[in-house]
Amino acid sequence: MSADKEKDKMEAQNKIPRHVAIIMDGNGRWAQKHNVSRISGHNAGMLAMKEIIKRADIMGIKYLTVYAFSTENWKRSAEEVGGIFGLLVKYVASELRELDENNVKVSILGDYKSIPRSAVASIEKALDTTKDNDGLFFNIALNYGGRQEITRAARKIAKLAIQGLINPEDVSEDTVSEYLYTGEENGNIPDPDLIIRTSGEERMSNFLLWQCAYSELAFSDSLWPDFTPEEFETIVRSYAGRERRFGGR
Ligand code: FPP
């Protein structure tokens, strides 16, 4: 390989995406495959998530967003829903100190105030403890739905218009972005460069619908609890070799 080509390749490998978002799918199928309860599957998923956070941080990814609970997930059994929030409480209790020591800043995307009270308290503790950190920005989409998020932004903008604080003619794409969960209230999180979905499914499932406009998409057949940091790193590095055009040439 010529010196120039070698240099280009190294540059491509160094082009780590700023924001990677993940649809962590397949916990239920993993549980079935291993003949354990669905909650054990989510617990295994939580362990996988911990390893991915560490690897993302080591790789220099600045923003990592995970889809932990969608607005549609309420349709699952009360036992499973309660179990997922129980895991969240457990996760915060066991990991918050380490996250904070590693300068990780936790944010929540979604209507987390309407989840069970003990989980809200855990989340508020995590948000408060890590609020001044500026290492990895770790965003948990919780009670999150993309359409709900856009509707909520529209409602906020409509209220401002009624109050005469904004002229409808001045509502731009930037205005909409500002009122999403990824907007001002969470420090303006950039759109994801790469979205990964595991378990062989290839759908957006109401995840970051506005923000995914120009994201690269990657799909893995691994069930989420089997998704390793090595596979994550391979996918992210292969992203670096892709050329994004943003609609241009
Ligand atoms: C999708 O698998 C996964 C979820 C709905 C929950 C994700 C939760 C975690 C990874 C654990 C806890 C997270 C935190 C932030 C503590 P599925 O159940 O839809 O799998 P299936 O499609 O195989 O049934």
Side-chain angles (χ1 to χ4, degrees), residues 109-182:
L109 312 180
D111 178 18
Y112 73 86
K113 292 201 170 142
S114 44
I115 66 175
R117 212 182 305 160
S118 62
V120 174
S122 285
I123 283 164
E124 287 181 339
K125 188 168 169 210
L127 296 178
D128 190 55
T129 307
T130 65
K131 67 179 187 304
D132 297 324
N133 294 347
D134 60 2
L136 174 73
F137 290 88
F138 175 51
N139 312 307
I140 308 174
L142 199 64
N143 198 13
Y144 173 87
R147 288 187 172 182
Q148 183 268 345
E149 176 185 41
I150 296 168
T151 308
R152 173 177 174 268
R155 205 177 291 130
K156 286 186 183 223
I157 296 166
K159 277 188 191 155
L160 292 174
I162 286 174
Q163 291 166 348
L165 296 170
I166 192 167
N167 178 350
E169 297 305 320
D170 295 335
V171 175
S172 64
E173 291 186 9
D174 285 344
T175 318
V176 177
S177 294
E178 204 176 302
Y179 291 96
L180 300 175
Y181 290 117
T182 43

Side-chain angles (χ1 to χ4, degrees), residues 18-68:
R18 195 154 56 134
H19 184 179
V20 178
I22 311 183
I23 304 177
M24 311 184 288
D25 197 10
N27 295 347
R29 276 162 286 164
W30 184 92
Q32 204 171 21
K33 191 170 140 193
H34 293 268
N35 223 349
V36 294
S37 68
R38 290 186 64 86
I39 288 305
S40 302
H42 293 311
N43 191 53
M46 185 179 82
L47 299 177
M49 185 183 77
K50 271 165 50 175
E51 298 307 314
I52 299 300
I53 299 171
K54 280 191 212 149
R55 183 62 65 100
D57 199 13
I58 291 169
M59 289 177 72
I61 291 166
K62 191 69 196 168
Y63 298 85
L64 179 72
T65 301
V66 297
Y67 205 3

Side-chain angles (χ1 to χ4, degrees), residues 163-245:
Q163 291 166 348
L165 296 170
I166 192 167
N167 178 350
E169 297 305 320
D170 295 335
V171 175
S172 64
E173 291 186 9
D174 285 344
T175 318
V176 177
S177 294
E178 204 176 302
Y179 291 96
L180 300 175
Y181 290 117
T182 43
E184 217 154 58
E185 66 195 274
N186 281 305
N188 296 312
I189 298 168
D191 290 345
D193 304 292
L194 172 66
I195 300 178
I196 302 172
R197 183 170 189 152
T198 57
S199 88
E201 306 290 343
E202 301 188 353
R203 289 186 296 279
M204 288 311 294
S205 297
N206 210 10
F207 187 48
L208 302 178
L209 293 185
W210 175 275
Q211 299 89 337
C212 77
Y214 294 103
S215 307
E216 293 283 339
L217 307 177
F219 302 100
S220 160
D221 285 332
S222 303
L223 299 174
W224 174 252
D226 294 330
F227 191 68
T228 60
E230 289 67 38
E231 188 179 356
F232 174 72
E233 181 154 353
T234 302
I235 291 176
V236 170
R237 296 215 182 269
S238 80
Y239 152 87
R242 300 194 204 170
E243 189 191 347
R244 293 170 78 200
R245 296 197 181 83

Side-chain angles (χ1 to χ4, degrees), residues 92 95-108 123-138:
V92 171
E95 300 302 314
L96 183 55
R97 199 162 146 186
E98 195 179 327
L99 289 171
D100 189 34
E101 280 169 4
N102 289 324
N103 201 19
V104 174
K105 180 182 161 95
V106 178
S107 298
I108 301 291
I123 283 164
E124 287 181 339
K125 188 168 169 210
L127 296 178
D128 190 55
T129 307
T130 65
K131 67 179 187 304
D132 297 324
N133 294 347
D134 60 2
L136 174 73
F137 290 88
F138 175 51

